[in-house]
Amino acid sequence: MTEEIMMAVDSKLFGVWFLIGAALVFWMQAGFAMVEAGFTRAKNTGNILMKNLMDFCIGTVMFILIGFGLLLGEDLLGLIGKPGFDIFTCYGDFGWSDFVFNLVFCATTATIVSGAMAERTKFLSYCIYSGVISALIYPIEAHWIWGGGWLAQMGFHDFAGSCAIHMTGGLSALIGAKILGPRIGKFSRDKSGAVTKVNAFPGHNLPLGCLGVFILWLGWYGFNGAAAVSVEQLGSIFVTTTIAPAIATVVCMVFTWVRFGKPDISMCLNASLAGLVAITAPCDVADALGSVVIGAVAGLLVVFGVWLLDYVLAVDDPVGAVAVHFMNGVWGTLAVGLFATTSAPGNDTLTGLFYGGGLGLLGKQAVGVLGVCAWTAVTITITFFIIKATVGLRVTAEEEIVGLDSCEHGLPSAYAGFSIMDISNTMTMEVNENTDLGNEEYESASELQRNAAVRVVEMPAAAAGSGIFKVVIISKLSRYEKVKKVMNDLGVTGMTVTQVMGCGIQKGAGEMYRGVEMDATLLPKVKIEVVVSKIPVASVIEAAKKALYTGRIGDGKIFVYNVDKVVKIRTGEENFAALQDVE
């Protein structure tokens, strides 16, 4: 009797955990929305949020109508489930938990595609292909794996969806991004159309992207662990789901640090997700050592994937969806055949190549990868070409430049009340690399070098004679404190300071973003305005030049205006003499 009671308690307990896991997977929709929004430009944020909301809602409709039946209906020849409407006709005996659990996974597959096609896809087109993925593409291949189809009968293993979800979504993203074409300005091309340069489009809000990664990581414990059938198995899954992404992120950080000179933030965020994707299929059959190797490969594979798309395939993927989900979905699926071990709780039959199991399991995993890729590639390609030929897949160039928030949704900004200027790859200029003057010390620099570094633009007779002068200093942000100090030392008691944007001959950026060098575009500057009369204007100019000087052309610029005439006109001659005595 005691044993029966404990079995009943365990059954109820894991039934509740199953639904909690489904809720965690649903919460991952928020994570995908935050990652995609953060890694793209501000002018498209509202569109991205709308898409991530609607792919779940549209997916629910399509899953009710046909998707659930194709996935978990009575097996027909190992290919599809028998469609039905039991949710309406036999609700009292319906598998409510299975429906909700599989629905949230279906929505995850559809939302992966959104990131790779962000910033230039029509919203209507997105709704259509998202519906096709939820109604047809995902349910059929998932039936092969989890619904009793031919892959399940063969012995293929994908515990939580490296193949069924991530690889499918990532491959759809790759095909969609290729058909859609890159964002305007992403690739520079010569007259023949060959890519000569890849341009970086930095994400507008990395804190938002980072929050999304943490949300996804939390949700992944439900993603991988919800189907566990024992406490021991659940604990092991949590361990592997923690180790793989952590190792992937560390490996990616070290590699980008060595390769690019500095650890790449956005690439490391991608690496965390890559490790999670890679461990999703083998999370229940791998041990700690296997998880370390799986994660390490994922951390390198995601960097390779981003490079491959940018520099070889010329496919524009704003968020790294293809590198994260497709490439690591394939890797994670094959990793089952390499790292499965019977020491993992609940695994009594599967043994990978590296644990003495031979090539049998690895071969089955490879067949599964090829089969699912073939189905996905054919159906999603047909879908995209039909959309392109009918309603159109891509927005116009004008709409893309203005932003999808305004053109597709009538939303002026997703950040109402905040002033946001999108300076990424707008007003890109050609820069002269030879700005070094060969002397970083102001005192030992020649007059020619000083004037080349900080140019002084004077009004006629500005530096001579008495009167009131306005001096405008354009400075780098990094030199502002030094300029302020020397002005105070001179006795200047008032300054007007404004943050401005500008560009000149000096190169403003040589940093790397996701392995791509960022161009110098509009650079943040400080405009300092001072008005002097008793303090010699020449002293102000000399002090400012010394503070701005770093030994490079374009360190700053100084404008000097004689404002005597303006003051005389506005105040009258009788008040002008008094004003001259006031600093």
Side-chain angles (χ1 to χ4, degrees):
M1 178 64 72
T2 302
E3 184 177 348
E4 291 176 355
I5 292 173
M6 291 304 298
M7 289 180 62
V9 170
D10 283 348
S11 176
K12 294 292 184 183
L13 180 64
F14 278 94
V16 173
W17 163 244
F18 189 67
L19 291 175
I20 292 173
L24 286 172
V25 177
F26 166 75
W27 179 233
M28 290 172 73
Q29 289 290 129
F32 281 116
M34 297 301 99
V35 169
E36 187 179 340
F39 277 34
T40 51
R41 292 172 290 185
K43 62 187 179 182
N44 301 305
T45 301
N47 174 261
I48 285 165
L49 300 180
M50 186 68 170
K51 289 193 296 185
N52 280 270
L53 172 66
M54 293 312 300
D55 79 58
F56 181 82
C57 297
I58 292 172
T60 299
V61 174
M62 302 310 295
F63 204 65
I64 289 172
L65 293 177
I66 188 172
F68 184 70
L70 290 175
L71 174 54
L72 290 180
E74 179 185 348
D75 180 60
L76 299 177
L77 302 175
L79 297 177
I80 62 171
K82 183 179 179 180
F85 294 95
D86 290 352
I87 192 172
F88 298 117
T89 59
C90 302
Y91 189 73
D93 298 320
F94 187 68
W96 314 291
S97 298
D98 282 344
F99 176 83
V100 172
F101 186 73
N102 285 281
L103 167 62
V104 293
F105 275 82
C106 180
T108 300
T109 308
T111 200
I112 290 169
V113 187
S114 170
M117 300 175 66
E119 301 200 277
R120 70 268 200 210
T121 304
K122 285 186 176 181
F123 182 69
L124 174 60
S125 302
Y126 171 81
C127 292
I128 295 171
Y129 75 69
S130 180
V132 172
I133 292 171
S134 299
L136 188 66
I137 296 175
Y138 168 77
I140 290 179
E141 54 88 7
H143 174 79
W144 299 348
I145 298 169
W146 296 322
W150 66 277
L151 286 177
Q153 296 169 20
M154 184 180 69
F156 177 83
H157 183 82
D158 181 6
F159 187 74
S162 288
C163 177
I165 296 168
H166 297 287
M167 190 189 75
T168 297
L171 180 57
S172 299
L174 172 61
I175 294 170
K178 184 64 178 178
I179 294 173
L180 188 63
R183 291 169 291 176
I184 295 172
K186 177 62 179 177
F187 300 108
S188 299
R189 301 178 185 270
D190 58 21
K191 293 181 179 180
S192 67
V195 174
T196 57
K197 185 180 180 184
V198 180
N199 299 307
F201 281 33
H204 87 280
N205 195 331
L206 280 184
L208 203 64
C210 183
L211 174 63
V213 169
F214 278 113
I215 290 174
L216 288 169
W217 196 329
L218 172 64
W220 232 288
Y221 289 114
F223 199 98
N224 286 359
V229 295
S230 70
V231 174
E232 292 78 15
Q233 186 183 47
L234 180 60
S236 176
I237 289 172
F238 268 50
V239 167
T240 59
T241 303
T242 303
I243 290 175
I247 295 296
T249 308
V250 171
V251 169
C252 180
M253 179 192 72
V254 173
F255 181 81
T256 57
W257 207 332
V258 173
R259 178 68 179 82
F260 305 128
K262 294 179 182 178
D264 192 300
I265 299 170
S266 69
M267 201 80 84
C268 287
L269 293 173
N270 273 159
S272 298
L273 301 180
L276 288 163
V277 169
I279 200 62
T280 296
C283 64
D284 66 320
V285 296
D287 59 10
L289 180 59
S291 301
V292 168
V293 179
I294 291 169
V297 174
L300 295 174
L301 189 58
V302 71
V303 181
F304 168 75
V306 171
W307 171 86
L308 180 69
L309 262 67
D310 279 347
Y311 290 96
V312 179
L313 303 179
V315 173
D316 183 12
D317 179 359
V319 304
V322 176
V324 169
H325 297 280
F326 174 61
M327 294 187 177
N328 283 283
V330 172
W331 162 236
T333 306
L334 297 177
V336 172
L338 299 173
F339 298 100
T341 172
T342 53
S343 65
N347 177 35
D348 300 323
T349 57
L350 300 178
T351 305
L353 175 64
F354 294 154
Y355 289 81
L359 294 171
L361 181 57
L362 181 60
K364 294 175 183 178
Q365 297 300 112
V367 170
V369 167
L370 293 175
V372 173
C373 279
W375 163 251
T376 302
V378 171
T379 51
I380 198 64
T381 301
I382 293 172
T383 300
F384 283 136
F385 277 121
I386 291 175
I387 293 173
K388 187 175 182 179
T390 52
V391 300
L393 193 58
R394 182 167 182 151
V395 298
T396 65
E398 292 77 12
E399 289 171 331
E400 182 179 343
I401 292 169
V402 172
L404 302 188
D405 285 3
S406 174
C407 297
E408 291 273 38
H409 306 282
L411 180 69
S413 172
Y415 299 93
F418 292 87
S419 177
I420 295 178
M421 177 183 288
D422 181 8
I423 61 170
S424 59
N425 290 81
T426 56
M427 299 182 69
T428 302
M429 63 179 181
E430 296 295 328
V431 291
N432 182 355
E433 301 284 344
N434 302 312
T435 60
D436 193 342
L437 293 167
N439 195 336
E440 297 180 359
E441 298 297 328
Y442 185 79
E443 287 75 11
S444 60
S446 67
E447 191 65 24
L448 181 63
Q449 289 172 322
R450 294 176 182 180
N451 292 336
V454 184
R455 185 183 175 194
V456 180
V457 182
E458 298 177 346
M459 296 294 287
S466 62
I468 300 176
F469 297 94
K470 178 182 179 181
V471 182
V472 180
I473 304 166
I474 307 298
S475 165
K476 299 178 183 177
L477 288 173
S478 61
R479 309 300 284 186
Y480 165 65
E481 289 295 331
K482 193 169 184 178
V483 174
K484 182 176 72 172
K485 184 178 185 304
V486 298
M487 291 297 109
N488 288 337
D489 291 343
L490 279 176
V492 175
T493 57
M495 295 187 295
T496 301
V497 181
T498 311
Q499 285 188 294
V500 296
M501 304 296 295
C503 61
I505 195 171
Q506 188 176 45
K507 184 172 183 178
E511 303 297 336
M512 305 294 287
Y513 177 78
R514 301 175 68 77
V516 177
E517 185 175 359
M518 290 186 287
D519 283 329
T521 55
L522 290 176
L523 310 176
K525 301 280 187 179
V526 173
K527 182 170 74 172
I528 305 165
E529 298 172 284
V530 299
V531 177
V532 295
S533 61
K534 288 186 176 181
I535 299 173
V537 70
S539 299
V540 175
I541 294 171
E542 184 65 16
K545 288 177 66 177
K546 186 175 182 179
L548 294 173
Y549 186 83
T550 66
R552 289 185 173 276
I553 298 173
D555 279 342
K557 190 171 287 188
I558 300 171
F559 299 87
V560 184
Y561 302 91
N562 188 330
V563 296
D564 284 359
K565 294 181 180 180
V566 176
V567 174
K568 287 179 181 179
I569 292 171
R570 291 190 176 181
T571 65
E573 292 290 342
E574 66 278 6
N575 297 322
F576 179 63
L579 280 171
Q580 284 184 305
D581 294 330
V582 180
E583 189 65 20

